[in-house]
Amino acid sequence: MVNRFRWGVLLQKPFIFFSILMILKMLLVWSVVFKETGGSFGMTLLTGIPSIWFIFCLIESFAYRKKLGTYLAVDLVLTIVYFAVIMYYKYFGVIVTYHELRQVNQVSEVNSSVISLMDPYYLFIFTDIIVLFILMLTNRRFRVWGRGLSVRESRSWFAAGQVLALAACV
């Protein structure tokens, strides 16, 4: 009997699928923000992945009926935050903090100069959301896959993952 590792089976798990998407988005943010300052991509992953896994463990533990929709909503929110980090860094030359994100109402005052700094390359961060949205509207197999995700996984694994991710965040 041949034991083959199959990526297709692994990617059917939304936790892994969306984790890979978030790692790719972190790579894009790192290439814009931290690469110039000499930051390590490994350190970016070590500080970013635990918080994302904590959120994903919450989704797996509590949102089993609308799991795909919840993952997509979290993906959209995190993508907007990553995009804001990129644009803030390009405009001000420093990394955005939580306090600056709270002043989002002042975006309209610097709107034209922010748009002039935007490279179309930065919009790639939204590609997965657009593709997944189109698939959800047009592809029947994708909708069936999304409905099939409503199976409740073992909560003990995700509860342990939440504790470990929270400890890593702290």
Side-chain angles (χ1 to χ4, degrees):
M1 179 159 43
V2 177
N3 186 10
R4 293 184 180 169
F5 182 76
R6 294 178 40 153
W7 281 99
V9 172
L10 202 58
L11 291 178
Q12 287 179 353
K13 304 289 184 185
F15 185 90
I16 296 178
F17 178 75
F18 283 97
S19 292
I20 291 170
L21 286 178
M22 288 298 124
I23 290 171
L24 291 173
K25 290 179 184 200
M26 284 183 203
L27 178 63
L28 178 69
V29 173
W30 174 81
S31 70
V32 173
V33 176
F34 298 110
K35 190 175 184 180
E36 296 173 3
T37 61
S40 163
F41 181 61
M43 188 56 76
T44 302
L45 285 179
L46 284 175
T47 57
I49 288 291
S51 58
I52 288 170
W53 280 353
F54 180 77
I55 295 169
F56 288 174
C57 285
L58 284 174
I59 292 171
E60 289 289 336
S61 295
F62 299 110
Y64 59 92
R65 288 219 171 119
K66 300 286 185 182
K67 196 181 289 188
L68 181 61
T70 308
Y71 269 109
L72 289 172
V74 168
D75 182 19
L76 179 63
V77 169
L78 290 174
T79 301
I80 290 170
V81 169
Y82 287 152
F83 187 73
V85 167
I86 290 172
M87 296 313 297
Y88 189 89
Y89 180 78
K90 283 303 190 182
Y91 188 76
F92 293 107
V94 294
I95 299 169
V96 67
T97 64
Y98 169 72
H99 298 291
E100 282 88 16
L101 281 177
R102 287 184 13 203
Q103 298 174 355
V104 75
N105 58 348
Q106 297 176 2
V107 168
S108 60
E109 297 172 14
V110 295
N111 190 16
S112 61
S113 54
V114 168
I115 290 174
S116 69
L117 293 172
M118 188 168 57
D119 188 348
Y121 168 73
Y122 305 152
L123 295 176
F124 279 124
I125 202 165
F126 292 101
T127 304
D128 66 317
I129 295 169
I130 295 168
V131 169
L132 290 173
F133 182 71
I134 290 171
L135 283 173
M136 213 158 60
L137 291 177
T138 62
N139 192 323
R140 184 172 177 255
R141 283 180 47 188
F142 185 77
R143 287 192 302 266
V144 169
W145 175 73
R147 277 187 238 116
L149 297 178
S150 64
V151 183
R152 193 180 276 206
E153 300 284 337
S154 171
R155 291 180 104 176
S156 60
W157 282 104
F158 291 109
Q162 283 174 311
V163 170
L164 291 173
L166 186 61
C169 286
V170 172

